[in-house]
Amino acid sequence: MRLWARATAVRRRVLCLWLLLLGFALVTLALSDLLNRDRDHSRQKPVPPLRPLQRIPNAPDLEVIVDSRDPALELGVDLAPLKSLQEDQLLFVPSTQDSKNPPQKKGSYKVLLPGANKDTRPPAHLTHGEMGKAVRIHLEGMERDMELSAVQKYGFNEMVSERISLHRRLPEARHPECLGGQYSESLPSASVVICFHDEAWSTLLRTVHSVLDTAPKPHLQEVLLVDDLSQHGHLKSVLSEYVSHLDAVRLIRSTKRLGVGGCRTLGAARAAGEVLVFMDSHCECQKGWLEPLLERVAQDRTRVVSPIIDVIDWQTFQFNATQWPVRGVFDWRLNFYWESNPQLQDKESDSAVRPVQSPALGGGVLAIDRHFFQSVGAYDPGMLLWGVEQIELSIRVWSCGGSMEVVPCSRVAHLDHHHLPYHFSDQELLQRNKIWIADTWMDAYRKIFYRRDTLAHFIRQSESPNNTERLQLKKSLGCRNFHWYLSTVYPQLYIPQDRPALSGELYNVGTGSCADYPRGQGLRGGAMNVAPCSGTGSQHCDLNSEFEVRCDPMGALCLDAKGEMVVLSPCPIHRPPTSRFQWKFIKLSGQLVHQQSQLCLEVVKEGGLPQSSPKKVNTHARTGGLFLRPCTHHPRQQWHFEQLVSPKDA
Ligand SMILES: *[C@@H]1O[C@H](CO)[C@@H](O)[C@H](O)[C@H]1NC(C)=O
Ligand SMILES: *[C@@H]1O[C@H](CO)[C@@H](O)[C@H](O)[C@H]1NC(C)=O
């Protein structure tokens, strides 16, 4: 039995009595809220500007931030009971039960009673995910069932996490040259802002202790825990109680779901340190991680820096060091990646400890000067709840006078989730955020994105986001355009040509399916295959003027042949490419001819495959492999490029 669990039980019993008394008040409050609430919370509406926040007085170890438009304030209700209600999970929460028909439900609210939030529905991701299948096969018996439900609840194996000390020390992963590093006494102070929403107890507290155990006291102004409207019981009064015993840790609660960006902006507004360190709520810091970050920011206040993000495994909680050099990038579908061993221009001897500039940084851990953060526009309030806000911030920081880099002597490990443990009522959340980035920052290059994400394209056709304010900000800050960003900051990103009739889904006449590429292999590529045409833009290929066919959203992998097997390989650096990577498309016959072998691209059905072919790739969707065969007029050698988004549309 855990101490904090017992503490809750006792506290609950005491609170029971006055809770009953409060019952009436609560129900009245609930009804008035339901009656008065503006029903139209539609996402199509222009996004309101950040609203002023008010602080409630007389909360010793706890601040409760209440939105000035909070229904309780509008009703003129005394706020003291509201704070207590929140502490003990009597909350007004947006109803997220029904994710299938969100539009009608958005304005509705329900009252949550203690214990009423034990929602253990398996998340959709797990039932569909292949990893989920693997978990189910591996886990047997009672305890295994509990582990499985812990995985479902949090997206990682929380039972393993519970058994690990909140003070565990990570194995040393820094380069030996980092260890003797002397840092100035006069480094700026840091406020570590940790936002959380329904985080597990062990991972949240391990994050907090890890910061307290590793950050030098003189440089650590405070740790700001910001609760983004969590529902889980352990994050209520038990957490407040626990935090009240920790030095330099403050807890802030939002009464509204803010999402990653909004929550961090809120934390930033409360922070007193000179440098903000945004950190996810499931991290573990390596000794000496803070000083190198502060030093880099102190040298140049427009520099935004990240440690090397090592990986904690979601099943075993094992630590896995990330290879240096590494930097953050994104592809034309606006997905973020850490790119290991990038082809960097400078290969000098001390590069093992020298920071590397990075076109983008992940959201896991980020240090930024507080004033620079505010002046560059904080996190964009137009971005919804979760997803790609790190890409938006990255493009903005670079374009508007700042820079980004990864600092190798600083390392923080981040728990990789198997899936996101909660649902969003808006299924197209990610697309909407990407549309926001495309329309605000990408100028004409946004067409390249829309061709590769047709869902975003169709959403964009039916609704246009009002990003007037951000465009004004961009103008007033004198930010550079996306062409500058691509050519100066991220010249390694291939810019697709997407010529009509020579780009799009590569449709095979004989099978009625589309050429598809191996996913999850990073930039290693793998055997090509055909799969049902997705229509989403995920199978977009681009035959360029140098006769390469590039099919991945990064445009870094080229159609290539290994013997008779057709594969996707890293594109050659030398220009023009050798004939091994060149393909000629004969429009009349639909043949794609490999220039080196003069053989044609053909779909070979499953069963007719040679023994050596990899069987594991995409078995559920795959309907055949791609091979080189002597050219014939067989329909399985006939192809055409289907453009899903017409050029003038995008
Ligand atoms: C660590 O990461 C490497 C590279 O990503 C991977 O190949 C390896 O399997 C990982 N090891 C563990 C124990 O997770
Ligand atoms: C867009 O937002 C700006 C300010 O946020 C507002 O002035 C303008 O009227 C809005 N435009 C539309 C079409 O809603």
Side-chain angles (χ1 to χ4, degrees), residues 46 466 468-469:
N466 184 357
T468 316
E469 273 191 31

Side-chain angles (χ1 to χ4, degrees), residues 163-442:
R163 292 183 210 123
I164 296 169
S165 162
L166 294 183
H167 298 271
R168 87 161 162 178
R169 285 271 289 272
L170 296 178
E172 181 64 70
R174 289 173 294 169
H175 191 276
E177 281 178 48
C178 296
L179 304 183
Q182 288 296 309
Y183 296 97
S184 155
E185 296 274 303
S186 58
L187 287 178
S189 61
S191 290
V192 179
V193 176
I194 302 172
C195 285
F196 62 94
H197 175 77
D198 286 345
E199 183 64 63
W201 176 268
S202 58
T203 42
L204 177 64
L205 271 299
R206 196 174 298 117
T207 307
V208 173
H209 282 298
S210 146
V211 171
L212 297 176
D213 293 348
T214 54
K217 282 223 157 59
H219 304 318
L220 182 66
Q221 173 83 29
E222 65 204 335
V223 175
L224 283 171
L225 278 174
V226 190
D227 175 9
D228 190 8
L229 201 68
S230 295
Q231 306 298 314
H232 291 176
H234 62 260
L235 299 172
K236 304 293 170 190
S237 49
V238 189
L239 181 65
S240 311
E241 172 72 15
Y242 190 98
V243 163
S244 68
H245 300 296
L246 298 176
D247 261 355
V249 182
R250 282 199 292 152
L251 179 61
I252 296 170
R253 306 231 192 232
S254 168
T255 55
K256 249 182 115 115
R257 184 82 161 93
L258 297 169
V260 181
C263 182
R264 288 180 168 193
T265 300
L266 170 59
R270 303 270 131 183
E274 289 171 74
V275 174
L276 303 167
V277 179
F278 297 113
M279 186 179 286
D280 277 356
S281 52
H282 32 262
C283 289
E284 292 176 56
C285 308
Q286 181 81 249
K287 198 161 166 271
W289 67 281
L290 183 60
E291 300 93 316
L293 297 180
L294 294 179
E295 182 183 55
R296 295 300 289 177
V297 176
Q299 285 165 3
D300 178 351
R301 296 292 178 148
T302 66
R303 207 182 258 157
V304 181
V305 300
S306 160
I308 296 179
I309 305 290
D310 296 312
V311 175
I312 301 169
D313 186 89
W314 65 270
Q315 268 181 301
T316 61
F317 276 71
Q318 274 174 342
F319 170 83
N320 200 357
T322 296
Q323 269 197 348
W324 179 255
V326 64
R327 59 175 199 163
V329 293
F330 55 86
D331 64 24
W332 287 109
R333 301 194 88 203
L334 295 180
N335 288 320
F336 175 86
Y337 305 90
W338 287 111
E339 179 187 35
S340 271
N341 284 317
Q343 292 155 359
L344 302 169
Q345 291 91 340
D346 108 78
K347 292 208 162 71
E348 297 194 18
S349 56
D350 65 341
S351 61
V353 295
R354 227 211 343 250
V356 156
Q357 290 206 330
S358 185
L361 290 178
V365 185
L366 200 75
I368 182 169
D369 179 81
R370 183 159 56 88
H371 291 115
F372 179 64
F373 174 75
Q374 300 297 359
S375 70
V376 84
Y379 274 97
D380 186 340
M383 307 278 292
L384 309 167
L385 289 177
W386 175 88
V388 298
E389 64 284 322
Q390 80 277 39
I391 297 180
E392 194 279 338
L393 183 69
S394 299
I395 299 175
R396 178 154 46 92
V397 161
W398 274 111
S399 306
C400 309
S403 66
M404 289 188 147
E405 64 182 33
V406 182
V407 182
C409 286
S410 172
R411 305 191 78 120
V412 175
H414 178 264
L415 175 62
D416 262 11
H417 282 58
H418 167 248
H419 58 262
L420 268 188
Y422 33 80
H423 300 267
F424 298 113
S425 55
D426 182 355
Q427 303 280 313
E428 282 97 41
L429 192 70
L430 204 53
Q431 265 74 30
R432 283 177 217 278
N433 281 345
K434 289 177 175 182
I435 290 169
W436 188 267
I437 294 179
D439 284 16
T440 312
W441 294 103
M442 289 173 72

